[in-house]
């Protein structure tokens, strides 16, 4: 795994910054562990996907300032915006949209980030109804973020 992707997945801002200063390939990609977008247990990501998945807006900004491709595709054609929206990362979605992310970009299955948001909103609603979530406040906050993201993407 490229060091920049490793540092981004770990959320190590200082390491990402140092690697970018040393001209690390900001768009290097590699197979990572399984995720919702994996094929046979692995997914191919770039650092921007890891930062979006974590919702790390500061790191996203750093990567974008370092010329990360905002439209880079991970496994199954997902973008950083897909990752941030699906995970309910409101600040990351706002940053990506302000930097020019394509809200209409479709993954390999034909879904946009908004489609992913609708799916997650449905999940959050069901979790609250069936008491599947132990911390109701966390679920409520997640649902609020998902609904705010849906408004941004509509």
């Amino acid at each position: 795994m490229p060091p920049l992707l490793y540092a981004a997945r770990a959320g190590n801002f200082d390491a990402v910054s140092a690697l970018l200063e040393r001209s690390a390939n900001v768009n290097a990609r590699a197979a990572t562990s399984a995720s919702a977008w994996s094929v046979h247990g692995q997914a191919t990501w770039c650092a921007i996907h890891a930062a979006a998945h974590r919702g790390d807006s500061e790191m996203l900004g750093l990567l974008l300032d370092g010329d990360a491709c905002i439209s880079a595709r991970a496994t199954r054609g997902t973008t950083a915006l897909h990752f941030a929206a699906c995970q309910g990362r409101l600040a990351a979605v706002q940053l990506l949209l302000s930097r020019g992310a394509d809200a209409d970009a479709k993954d390999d299955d034909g879904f946009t980030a908004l489609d992913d948001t609708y799916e997650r909103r449905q999940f959050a609603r069901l979790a609250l109804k069936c008491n599947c979530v132990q911390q109701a406040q966390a679920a409520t906050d997640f649902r609020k973020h998902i609904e705010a993201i849906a408004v941004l993407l509509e």
Side-chain angles (χ1 to χ4, degrees), residues 28-50:
R29 58 183 58 246
T32 64
S33 59
S35 76
W37 291 277
S38 64
V39 177
H40 303 297
Q42 291 198 335
T44 302
W45 290 11
C46 298
I48 193 169
H49 301 124

Side-chain angles (χ1 to χ4, degrees), residues 9 26 50 58 75 90 142:
R9 284 195 61 192
V26 72
E58 186 178 14
T75 301
L90 180 58
F142 178 74

Side-chain angles (χ1 to χ4, degrees), residues 111-132:
F111 295 110
T112 65
L114 179 59
D115 296 327
D116 292 339
T117 301
Y118 284 143
E119 181 178 317
R120 293 298 283 193
R121 183 167 48 181
Q122 181 67 14
F123 171 77
R125 286 180 178 154
L126 289 172
L128 282 171
K129 286 181 181 178
C130 72
N131 293 323
C132 297

Side-chain angles (χ1 to χ4, degrees), residues 2-9 15-30 45-51 58-73 80 99:
L4 186 65
L5 176 55
Y6 185 83
R9 284 195 61 192
V16 169
S17 181
L19 288 163
L20 289 174
E21 287 175 11
R22 289 170 180 74
S23 302
N25 180 354
V26 72
N27 295 306
R29 58 183 58 246
W45 290 11
C46 298
I48 193 169
H49 301 124
E58 186 178 14
M59 188 177 297
L60 275 172
L62 179 66
L63 291 166
L64 290 168
D65 290 344
D67 294 326
C69 179
I70 201 164
S71 60
R73 299 296 181 130
R99 295 289 195 100

Side-chain angles (χ1 to χ4, degrees), residues 55-117:
D56 191 334
S57 299
E58 186 178 14
M59 188 177 297
L60 275 172
L62 179 66
L63 291 166
L64 290 168
D65 290 344
D67 294 326
C69 179
I70 201 164
S71 60
R73 299 296 181 130
T75 301
R76 305 198 50 75
T78 54
T79 64
L81 187 59
H82 282 94
F83 282 99
C86 188
Q87 295 301 315
R89 312 299 193 189
L90 180 58
V93 169
Q94 291 170 323
L95 175 67
L96 289 165
L97 289 172
S98 74
R99 295 289 195 100
D102 181 4
D104 296 321
K106 294 182 178 181
D107 64 17
D108 292 351
D109 296 317
F111 295 110
T112 65
L114 179 59
D115 296 327
D116 292 339
T117 301

